[in-house]
Amino acid sequence: MNGRVILSARNLGVRYKRRGGLFRPARYHQAFSGLTFDLYQGETLALIGRNGAGKSTLLKVLAGILRPDQGCLINHGVTVSLLSLQAGFDPELPGTDNAVLSAMLLGYSRAQARACLHRIAAFSELGSFMDEPVKTYSSGMRARLGFSVAMFLSPDVLLIDEALTVGDRSFREKAEREMSKKIHSLQTVVLVSHSESQVDKLADRVIDLDQPGGAHVL
Amino acid sequence: MAESFSSSFPPSSESHRRLAPQDAFQWAFDAMAERRWRQAAGRWATLRVVYPEHPPVWIQAAVALRELGSHGEALSLLSEARARFPDHPGGWVQGANTALAEGDVALAGQLLDEARARFPQDPPVWIRSAHLAQATGDPERALHYNQHARDTFPDWAPAFDQHAELAMAAGDWDSARQRWAEVRRRFPDHPAGYRRAAMVEEQQGRPREARRLRLAEEHGIDWLEEGDRADTVAVAPPRRRDWRNFVDLVWTKARLNLKAEANRNHLRYLWWVIDPLLYMAVFYVVFGLLLHRGGEGFVAYLLTGLVPFQWFAKTVQHASNTIVEGRGLMNQVRISPLFFPLVAVVQNAGKQTLVFLMLAIFLVVYGLPPTVHWLALIPVVTVQLLLMAVVGCALAMIIPFVRDLINLVPTGLQFLLFCSGVFYTLDTIPERWRDLFMANPMANLLHQYRRILLEHQWPEWSQMGWLALGCLLGLGVLILAYRRLEGVFPRVVVE
């Protein structure tokens, strides 16, 4: 890799408490441990592994949502965002309000969210439904709105959790097109995917969380 | 009937029972598509017996034979083809190909010279000529023929493919890149423009660009061009929200929560007036009209305590479980967990303004008109807001770790209701307990409310000051604690 290192994971480990309480000993599920890798500017890194291997958990750690139990994550001064679709949607509120709110939760300022609103509406192709409460939407329409809000986000590092499949067929193609574009602009991307073809098409490097220490397979 | 039936069919002769040539040839083309050359050569030989008057049975047969390495046989078939079909360039073009494969450059050159003279309007002739020139080490001539092909047949992709391939063969990668871009521009749906260009990028050690080109084959030329353009609408989020954006977010969320809450009911915002009105009416009827308890002015005394206390109770009850309820959002976006209880505080404050308005109207009707002292409500309400923020945030912080506590919150609030002097006056408390009683911040605040609203006096500033100081200290401690727990809550709330 030719880019500079922008995130460094050193011996990362996360475990979840499975059960336990006042009178029962706690038992833990180790999602992953001893994970060490560097993320370079401009690369696309794919995380693979079986269910429960800790792929999504690792994304949350990278996003700064979770603090790891072991090891540390060093951020060399970059912004990192998890691509969250439909974050904070309230079914009682119209699409416009939800778009602004969701955008603000993702890190837009209110002015930025307002400025993007007509583009969000246009991209989602929801038309007059933007002013209807989200509870009247079909799940596909909700997904469209969620994706359209997240689409304009462009942090230094974008984390994507199998989010490329939303809505009906035509919108999915449109969404994939936009996502691929995003991934291939200068942005650094970490993505979780079960689809091997997707990984092949998009990723520079793959980390397999089933291997001890997250062996690089590419 | 029988007659008309038979007449509707053509007479069954040998020639009509035969397959149309194209359909028959498909049989052999299938074998060629699967690169089963021996089978293909056999099928063409069979077809040659039935359809000798069609060029493919000669020319395609030769192609199959050439693939098998039987160059001599192929050449003789092709010379036959040239004799039989003088208007069909295939005999010459394939003849040249086969001659080249055989290594007979002279024959290939001769055939292509003839072909160029006979069929100047046939594009493959020029491509093959360029190919031969390249193969015989004359790239300039190759380029010349290719140029002719491109100029004469600008809508024919292979000419442009060859142009780029010539650059690749020469190792001129920059030209190759430009020429493949030209191919893409002219023929956006032509796969080679992406695939071969990707190979150029790979050759140049740029796997990322190569992948982008392969993806572009899927998404189209527009996608590629859009990607080249700088995205002007992209929003770069901050590393960490600054406090101003955080406040704005809390404010927006609280406002929208109120809107959503109103949308759930038919009477919408009216409920925020009806609810406290009914509530006050109940107390007025029970204590003021039925029981005649507490003497003159008791209803006013009761309500001036009850309204602020209910505000406190509702807010704390609401805030205490917000972090657990915010587990979904907390795991989706990076946000300070303080967001959740603070939204509850602001949201309830919004509703409370109407309740206070109702109370004010009641007091005026009751014969306690506003005085200048009401101005002191501003600091009192502010201190109560601070207090609710501290208590709400503290409970919201502890409850994810000790979930059972949530069951004690209503009881605790009930207890506080009886300890805060809502239903009894301060002078019913023995003198020696009074300091202890006033140490309860809610009791203290209610006392200040009543001084302002009922006694038309200024509040006890020193007590207010101490209370505010305590709240600010508590808030400081809480902010630090929340900072430390920020990465812990998302896990604790799902465990």
Side-chain angles (χ1 to χ4, degrees), chain B residues 157-462:
Chain B
F160 292 88
D161 284 357
Q162 188 183 43
H163 191 215
E165 295 286 357
L166 287 175
M168 281 173 81
D172 183 358
W173 303 111
D174 283 339
S175 299
R177 187 178 297 127
Q178 284 167 16
R179 291 177 189 180
W180 284 123
E182 170 80 3
V183 171
R184 287 197 297 274
R185 193 179 63 75
R186 283 175 180 265
F187 312 100
D189 297 328
H190 184 52
Y194 305 93
R195 289 184 197 167
R196 295 291 295 164
M199 294 193 68
V200 172
E201 299 297 344
E202 235 157 41
Q203 186 71 36
Q204 293 289 81
R206 293 197 289 209
R208 200 177 167 79
E209 189 58 24
R211 225 183 11 255
R212 193 164 90 97
L213 284 163
R214 289 208 184 90
L215 276 173
E217 186 191 336
E218 204 171 302
H219 297 304
I221 183 84
D222 296 343
W223 180 85
L224 203 61
E225 281 165 4
E226 283 164 29
D228 289 338
R229 257 179 273 134
D231 214 350
T232 47
V233 285
V235 174
R239 265 192 81 174
R240 234 196 125 81
R241 241 180 228 99
D242 61 12
W243 67 271
R244 219 175 298 141
N245 278 341
F246 182 74
V247 169
D248 198 14
L249 181 57
V250 169
W251 175 254
T252 308
K253 176 67 178 158
R255 201 168 46 83
L256 290 177
N257 273 358
L258 288 176
K259 187 171 168 185
E261 208 177 305
N263 282 355
R264 268 187 275 270
N265 304 310
H266 288 297
L267 292 178
R268 295 166 63 99
Y269 296 98
L270 215 54
W271 272 114
W272 300 349
V273 183
I274 298 172
D275 186 49
L277 265 184
L278 285 175
Y279 191 76
M280 284 194 258
V282 165
F283 279 92
Y284 182 77
V285 169
V286 171
F287 289 98
L289 300 181
L290 296 180
L291 293 178
H292 290 294
R293 197 186 160 277
E296 188 69 21
F298 185 72
V299 176
Y301 183 85
L302 189 66
L303 288 181
T304 48
L306 203 56
V307 166
F309 187 86
Q310 280 300 325
W311 180 23
F312 177 83
K314 278 186 179 170
T315 303
V316 168
Q317 172 89 51
H318 183 178
S320 58
N321 209 27
T322 44
I323 287 191
V324 176
E325 282 164 358
R327 64 173 88 91
L329 188 57
M330 206 184 289
N331 274 289
Q332 272 187 307
V333 294
R334 184 175 185 184
I335 186 162
S336 165
L338 266 177
F339 170 75
F340 301 97
L342 287 183
V343 165
V345 171
V346 176
Q347 189 181 339
N348 279 289
K351 276 205 281 193
Q352 189 65 23
T353 48
L354 284 176
V355 186
F356 271 130
L357 198 68
M358 293 294 112
L359 180 67
I361 294 170
F362 168 83
L363 288 176
V364 173
V365 172
Y366 201 76
L368 290 163
T371 62
V372 65
H373 301 95
W374 280 32
L375 283 176
L377 282 175
I378 295 166
V380 175
V381 166
T382 309
V383 172
Q384 186 176 351
L385 267 171
L386 271 175
L387 179 68
M388 290 184 305
V390 169
V391 178
C393 291
L395 281 172
M397 180 179 80
I398 297 164
I399 281 170
F401 296 98
V402 196
R403 298 284 176 92
D404 308 48
L405 273 186
I406 192 71
N407 300 318
L408 293 179
V409 171
T411 320
L413 287 170
Q414 198 79 16
F415 177 70
L416 199 63
L417 174 69
F418 291 113
C419 289
S420 303
V422 174
F423 301 106
Y424 47 88
T425 49
L426 195 56
D427 45 75
T428 55
I429 299 166
E431 192 72 50
R432 58 197 169 108
W433 295 115
R434 236 172 248 180
D435 283 344
L436 185 66
F437 177 81
M438 289 303 272
N440 166 8
M442 259 335 271
N444 201 318
L445 276 175
L446 296 189
H447 177 63
Q448 311 303 342
Y449 275 112
R450 281 161 175 159
R451 275 179 72 96
I452 298 167
L453 296 172
L454 302 180
E455 298 164 22
H456 301 308
Q457 290 180 30
W458 294 108
E460 289 161 6
W461 294 115
S462 71

Side-chain angles (χ1 to χ4, degrees), chain A residues 65 67, chain B residues 330 337 397-398 401 478-492:
Chain A
I65 292 173
R67 189 182 303 156
Chain B
M330 206 184 289
M397 180 179 80
I398 297 164
F401 296 98
L478 278 169
I479 288 173
L480 289 179
Y482 269 82
R483 276 269 163 88
R484 286 193 67 86
L485 290 169
E486 192 177 317
V488 177
F489 278 130
R491 189 141 27 114
V492 169

Side-chain angles (χ1 to χ4, degrees), chain B residues 36-92:
Chain B
R36 296 198 308 267
W37 303 114
R38 190 167 301 285
Q39 198 176 20
R43 288 182 181 178
W44 285 120
T46 309
L47 290 166
R48 202 149 54 236
V49 178
V50 191
Y51 305 97
E53 71 282 15
H54 290 274
V57 298
W58 303 92
I59 295 165
Q60 295 301 325
V63 171
L65 286 167
R66 186 177 73 220
E67 292 294 337
L68 286 170
S70 312
H71 295 144
E73 219 176 320
L75 282 172
S76 68
L77 278 179
L78 287 163
S79 112
E80 180 70 26
R82 287 197 293 276
R84 280 175 180 257
F85 315 107
D87 296 333
H88 197 287
W92 280 266

